[in-house]
Amino acid sequence: MKHCSWCDNEFKTNISYQIYCSTVCRDAATKEKIAARYIHSRRQKRKGKDRRCKKCNKSLSIYNDENLCVDCNINPSEVLKALKQIKGKSK
Ligand SMILES: [Zn+2]
Ligand SMILES: [Zn+2]
């Protein structure tokens, strides 16, 4: 018995190099590999480039996929919630 590298199901095979239980798992794993490679190469391209936050002009990390820095990239619904809480307190 072997364990699928994708879903961890046990499966039987006579092929020694088979690591996935089904073509579905193999396709899913392949897609993820391609996606990971794409993200990686995109980050590599950012190296040495001066990317800055749209809002505060702070330099962005190559791992930041947004045009905003962590400080400016706040979830708007979270901000609204915080504002409501402040309003509720100052009666
Ligand atoms: Zn599987
Ligand atoms: Zn910023």
Side-chain angles (χ1 to χ4, degrees), residues 53-58 60 67-73:
C53 172
K54 261 189 187 172
K55 237 175 173 178
C56 68
N57 216 31
K58 206 160 88 177
L60 296 173
N67 293 320
L68 294 169
C69 73
V70 198
D71 296 332
C72 297
N73 193 16

Short mmCIF file of all heavy atoms in Angstrom, two decimals, residues 53-58 60 67-73, ligand 2:
data_model
loop_
_atom_site.label_atom_id
_atom_site.label_comp_id
_atom_site.label_asym_id
_atom_site.label_seq_id
_atom_site.Cartn_x
_atom_site.Cartn_y
_atom_site.Cartn_z
N CYS A 53 4.19 51.82 -1.42
CA CYS A 53 2.78 51.85 -1.04
C CYS A 53 2.09 53.03 -1.70
O CYS A 53 2.62 54.15 -1.69
CB CYS A 53 2.67 51.94 0.48
SG CYS A 53 0.99 52.20 1.06
N LYS A 54 0.92 52.78 -2.29
CA LYS A 54 0.14 53.81 -2.96
C LYS A 54 -0.23 54.94 -2.02
O LYS A 54 -0.39 56.08 -2.42
CB LYS A 54 -1.15 53.18 -3.48
CG LYS A 54 -1.13 52.82 -4.95
CD LYS A 54 -2.53 52.42 -5.35
CE LYS A 54 -2.59 51.86 -6.75
NZ LYS A 54 -3.96 51.33 -6.98
N LYS A 55 -0.45 54.58 -0.77
CA LYS A 55 -0.98 55.53 0.19
C LYS A 55 0.11 56.32 0.91
O LYS A 55 0.09 57.53 0.93
CB LYS A 55 -1.82 54.78 1.23
CG LYS A 55 -3.24 55.28 1.32
CD LYS A 55 -4.00 54.40 2.28
CE LYS A 55 -5.37 54.91 2.56
NZ LYS A 55 -6.08 53.97 3.46
N CYS A 56 1.08 55.59 1.52
CA CYS A 56 2.04 56.28 2.39
C CYS A 56 3.46 56.29 1.81
O CYS A 56 4.37 56.82 2.44
CB CYS A 56 2.04 55.65 3.77
SG CYS A 56 2.72 53.99 3.79
N ASN A 57 3.65 55.66 0.63
CA ASN A 57 4.93 55.69 -0.06
C ASN A 57 6.04 54.89 0.63
O ASN A 57 7.21 55.06 0.33
CB ASN A 57 5.38 57.14 -0.29
CG ASN A 57 6.09 57.26 -1.63
OD1 ASN A 57 5.79 56.55 -2.57
ND2 ASN A 57 7.05 58.17 -1.71
N LYS A 58 5.65 54.03 1.55
CA LYS A 58 6.62 53.16 2.21
C LYS A 58 7.01 52.05 1.23
O LYS A 58 6.17 51.60 0.46
CB LYS A 58 5.96 52.56 3.46
CG LYS A 58 6.94 52.16 4.54
CD LYS A 58 6.21 52.06 5.87
CE LYS A 58 5.63 50.69 6.09
NZ LYS A 58 4.99 50.56 7.40
N LEU A 60 7.58 48.45 -0.34
CA LEU A 60 6.85 47.21 -0.14
C LEU A 60 7.78 46.01 -0.20
O LEU A 60 8.74 46.00 -0.96
CB LEU A 60 5.77 47.06 -1.21
CG LEU A 60 4.65 48.10 -1.23
CD1 LEU A 60 3.78 47.88 -2.46
CD2 LEU A 60 3.80 48.02 0.01
N ASN A 67 -0.81 46.70 -3.61
CA ASN A 67 -0.17 47.98 -3.88
C ASN A 67 -0.09 48.83 -2.62
O ASN A 67 0.34 49.97 -2.66
CB ASN A 67 -0.95 48.75 -4.95
CG ASN A 67 -0.86 48.06 -6.29
OD1 ASN A 67 0.17 47.54 -6.68
ND2 ASN A 67 -1.97 48.04 -7.00
N LEU A 68 -0.54 48.25 -1.52
CA LEU A 68 -0.53 48.95 -0.25
C LEU A 68 0.35 48.21 0.75
O LEU A 68 0.45 46.99 0.70
CB LEU A 68 -1.96 49.04 0.31
CG LEU A 68 -2.97 49.87 -0.48
CD1 LEU A 68 -4.36 49.63 0.07
CD2 LEU A 68 -2.63 51.34 -0.43
N CYS A 69 0.95 48.93 1.68
CA CYS A 69 1.74 48.28 2.71
C CYS A 69 0.81 47.66 3.76
O CYS A 69 -0.40 47.88 3.75
CB CYS A 69 2.69 49.29 3.36
SG CYS A 69 1.88 50.45 4.45
N VAL A 70 1.37 46.91 4.67
CA VAL A 70 0.56 46.20 5.68
C VAL A 70 -0.24 47.19 6.52
O VAL A 70 -1.38 46.92 6.90
CB VAL A 70 1.47 45.34 6.59
CG1 VAL A 70 0.63 44.29 7.32
CG2 VAL A 70 2.57 44.67 5.80
N ASP A 71 0.37 48.33 6.82
CA ASP A 71 -0.29 49.31 7.67
C ASP A 71 -1.50 49.95 6.98
O ASP A 71 -2.49 50.26 7.63
CB ASP A 71 0.70 50.42 8.06
CG ASP A 71 1.84 49.88 8.89
OD1 ASP A 71 1.61 48.87 9.60
OD2 ASP A 71 2.94 50.45 8.83
N CYS A 72 -1.39 50.17 5.66
CA CYS A 72 -2.48 50.83 4.93
C CYS A 72 -3.52 49.83 4.44
O CYS A 72 -4.66 50.20 4.19
CB CYS A 72 -1.93 51.59 3.73
SG CYS A 72 -0.82 52.90 4.19
N ASN A 73 -3.10 48.58 4.27
CA ASN A 73 -3.99 47.57 3.72
C ASN A 73 -4.87 46.96 4.81
O ASN A 73 -4.74 45.81 5.17
CB ASN A 73 -3.18 46.49 3.02
CG ASN A 73 -4.05 45.60 2.16
OD1 ASN A 73 -5.19 45.93 1.86
ND2 ASN A 73 -3.51 44.46 1.79
ZN ZN B 2 1.23 52.39 3.38
#
